[in-house]
Amino acid sequence: MPTAEERRARHDAAQAAARAEIRGQTLDRYLARRPKAFATDGLVRDEIDKWIVDFLAGSHASLLLLGEPGTGKTWHLWRIGELLIRRGWFGRFYLVSDFEFKAAADRPVDREKLRIWSEAPLLALDDLGASQLYPWTVDAIAQLIDARWQEQLPTLISTNLPTLDPLGPRTKSRFADGGSTAVAFTGTDYRRTHA
């Protein structure tokens, strides 16, 4: 008859195998959603890897990726999700394009989608401000950032804007709270140099 220690070891091994299987399935689903254009392998920047480590340790700091088009911001957002799953995180991560956000925030407002995004454990707004920022879009962004800030939920933003000034001082203040990280992306447009 197995000892209590042996039973515990078998139980722990079975639990670890189940978690590994779930992680593998979660990763497969995530990678199947990722656009092919962002499927290339590569290393994340050190500041972003540090943000990932801090997030997994419980930080609620947000992350801002600033820079010209084609410098790797969206690739990093997709890679962040992948690395979080590979490192054992199982939360909901929504990566929302500027177009998707505007479609939800425009009239008629998709309140359910905005609510889901405001409550997600992790939300990335990609290419924010890539197209014209209308006053109601800026208001919707402010409300979303405020709701997430109140619940201490990190938000990731990538933008071609040089700063978050067009979003207003209230949004900038809330986004910056909690030791948020800003990463500047410079260089030439990767898509043009590899065309």
Side-chain angles (χ1 to χ4, degrees), residues 24-50:
Q25 293 170 356
T26 302
L27 182 60
D28 289 345
R29 282 192 308 274
Y30 181 81
L31 295 177
R33 282 188 313 122
R34 180 177 63 186
K36 290 179 183 177
F38 303 112
T40 57
D41 203 18
L43 298 173
V44 298
R45 295 189 35 183
D46 290 341
E47 312 97 294
I48 294 172
D49 191 58
K50 181 181 181 326

Side-chain angles (χ1 to χ4, degrees), residues 140-153:
I141 293 167
Q143 291 172 18
L144 181 68
I145 297 293
D146 183 57
R148 296 184 60 75
W149 171 78
Q150 288 183 34
E151 296 301 321
Q152 296 189 334
L153 297 170

Side-chain angles (χ1 to χ4, degrees), residues 20 23-25 29 60 73 98 109 114 156 158 164 166 171 193:
R23 183 178 307 115
Q25 293 170 356
R29 282 192 308 274
H60 66 273
K73 300 179 303 296
D98 181 65
V109 174
L114 292 175
L156 299 99
S158 78
L164 291 182
T171 297
T193 60

Side-chain angles (χ1 to χ4, degrees), residues 49-100:
D49 191 58
K50 181 181 181 326
W51 181 90
I52 292 170
V53 169
D54 291 348
F55 173 76
L56 291 171
S59 170
H60 66 273
S62 291
L63 179 65
L64 176 62
L65 310 180
L66 298 158
E68 294 297 318
T71 54
K73 300 179 303 296
T74 302
W75 179 88
H76 272 83
L77 290 179
W78 281 102
R79 187 72 172 167
I80 287 168
E82 177 186 345
L83 291 174
L84 286 172
I85 294 167
R86 288 187 186 279
R87 294 178 187 181
W89 186 72
F90 291 104
R92 286 177 297 143
F93 175 47
Y94 289 89
L95 203 156
V96 179
S97 71
D98 181 65
F99 175 79
E100 289 174 287

